[in-house]
Amino acid sequence: MIPAQFDYEAPESLEQAVRMLHENGEDAKLIAGGHSLLPLMKLRLAAPTLLVDLRNIPGLHGIQRENGNWRIGTLTRHADLQDAPELGVASVAAGQIADQQVRNRGTIGGSLAHGDPASDLPAVLLALEGQVSAQGTDGLRQIAAADLFQDFLTTAVGESEILTEIRLPLLDGYGFGYHKFNRRQEDWAMVAACALVKRGADGTCEDVRIGLTHMGSTPLRATAAEQALRGRPLDAASIAAAAEQAAEGTDPPADLNASEDYKRHLARVLTRRALEDASS
Ligand SMILES: Cc1cc2nc3c(=O)[nH]c(=O)nc-3n(C[C@H](O)[C@H](O)[C@H](O)COP(=O)(O)OP(=O)(O)OC[C@H]3O[C@@H](n4cnc5c(N)ncnc54)[C@H](O)[C@@H]3O)c2cc1C
């Protein structure tokens, strides 16, 4: 439970931090809240020789409304999202991460860059069709949520890149629902479902987005369920029929908590509940 020895730097600018990452290659790791990285280091599953702490870099915190989006600094903590109900489903999901101690330290950028398919915020970003900004030696680039999560704990953020901000579309007129299933409050999700629904003038489903947590090696969209509901009446029967498709195309990892079949069952039930909330 004691990490291997490492050096520590806390640069005061983004440029310095990028340079440190670039010069030290895979030996260097960024640290934000430390609540995913430090447990891995204590288990010696990660052994960086240099930790680059983002804490002294200005401009990486906070939530602003800007051009139809929420702009969220990468170091914004889960607790700050939880305390910002205007963010809708992102706030509700952040409030269900682990316990208050973890939420007081963990950051949105750390969670998205880590890319754990069992984490809550990646599937929310995917359903919202948000994007992240990453600063590297070649400048700043935007990465759409659909391109960010590549494999288990693998994202499109490069080794010398720093995720600086997250943009979530406001999605005015959409209802939302978020349902997570775990045995204890502080546990990761066995499965979670995030739903966003826009009701058309005639009462049918004009648009629907569903994000699933822990149903594969990356967060996923439940596209079959989305297609089944789009254009249909937003009533109990249509929602239940669409939710039956929620596990189509998924490949959930079995673990000590749940078999693959049980996870598929959870995906169907949680998607139905999330859709019901989003449509009410
Ligand atoms: C007991 C416990 C329970 C938890 N339960 C849940 C849960 O239920 N749901 C959930 O979603 N999460 C859970 N977590 C994880 C928690 O949310 C983490 O805080 C989060 O996943 C990582 O954020 P962090 O700021 O702590 O990142 P860190 O641990 O500091 O970093 C994680 C990784 O991201 C990289 N990184 C960090 N910031 C950046 C950046 N700006 N740019 C590029 N790379 C970066 C780091 O180099 C590292 O590889 C739990 C953690 C613990 C300890």
Side-chain angles (χ1 to χ4, degrees):
M1 294 302 283
I2 299 175
Q5 206 171 358
F6 58 86
D7 292 329
Y8 172 87
E9 297 280 357
E12 300 201 349
S13 76
L14 208 50
E15 294 68 29
Q16 275 180 310
V18 169
R19 196 165 55 246
M20 285 173 187
L21 292 181
H22 185 62
E23 286 169 358
N24 289 278
E26 61 182 18
D27 293 333
K29 269 281 182 200
L30 290 172
I31 183 161
H35 270 48
S36 290
L37 182 57
L38 291 182
L40 289 177
M41 289 172 64
K42 287 183 174 182
L43 292 167
R44 305 256 175 146
L45 294 172
T49 54
L50 174 64
L51 284 191
V52 179
D53 197 331
L54 294 171
R55 68 171 63 212
N56 291 336
I57 300 176
L60 298 182
H61 293 88
I63 302 168
Q64 288 104 31
R65 199 177 160 140
E66 204 178 274
N67 301 330
N69 289 294
W70 292 109
R71 179 201 163 279
I72 304 174
T74 189
L75 288 184
T76 306
R77 302 167 313 146
H78 305 324
D80 303 318
L81 304 180
Q82 176 185 13
D83 290 343
E86 62 276 19
L87 293 177
V89 72
S91 176
V92 170
Q96 295 188 34
I97 293 174
D99 50 34
Q100 197 63 46
Q101 284 166 300
V102 173
R103 296 195 290 270
N104 285 343
R105 298 288 307 178
T107 65
I108 183 170
S111 177
L112 298 176
H114 191 54
D116 184 342
S119 289
D120 293 83
L121 296 176
V124 171
L125 183 82
L126 206 54
L128 284 167
E129 296 180 1
Q131 66 174 36
V132 301
S133 303
Q135 176 77 46
T137 46
D138 296 333
L140 191 69
R141 69 182 178 115
Q142 316 300 322
I143 307 170
D147 300 324
L148 180 61
F149 306 106
Q150 298 190 329
D151 204 345
F152 182 67
L153 302 186
T154 307
T155 69
V157 182
E159 212 170 66
S160 325
E161 281 187 317
I162 301 177
L163 211 153
T164 56
E165 67 178 42
I166 294 90
R167 282 182 187 265
L168 304 178
L170 290 175
L171 292 192
D172 287 332
Y174 282 71
F176 65 84
Y178 188 74
H179 279 262
K180 171 175 180 174
F181 190 81
N182 51 13
R183 282 189 211 284
R184 302 173 307 169
Q185 172 60 39
E186 66 266 33
D187 285 344
W188 272 263
M190 264 185 235
V191 175
C194 164
L196 295 147
V197 171
K198 184 167 193 191
R199 186 184 287 272
D202 60 357
T204 61
C205 174
E206 188 178 312
D207 190 26
V208 54
R209 293 111 173 263
I210 302 165
L212 295 175
T213 289
H214 221 177
M215 287 298 289
S217 57
T218 64
L220 296 171
R221 287 279 288 267
T223 48
E226 291 175 358
Q227 277 164 21
L229 192 57
R230 207 166 279 124
R232 307 284 304 164
L234 281 171
D235 57 22
S238 303
I239 287 173
E244 279 304 301
Q245 310 284 317
E248 289 299 310
T250 64
D251 186 15
D255 54 37
L256 288 176
N257 288 316
S259 66
E260 292 170 22
D261 279 349
Y262 185 51
K263 285 192 174 180
R264 289 196 178 94
H265 167 73
L266 285 175
R268 291 189 281 267
V269 172
L270 299 173
T271 296
R272 177 174 52 72
R273 291 177 185 167
L275 285 171
E276 284 167 354
D277 286 357
S279 309
S280 61

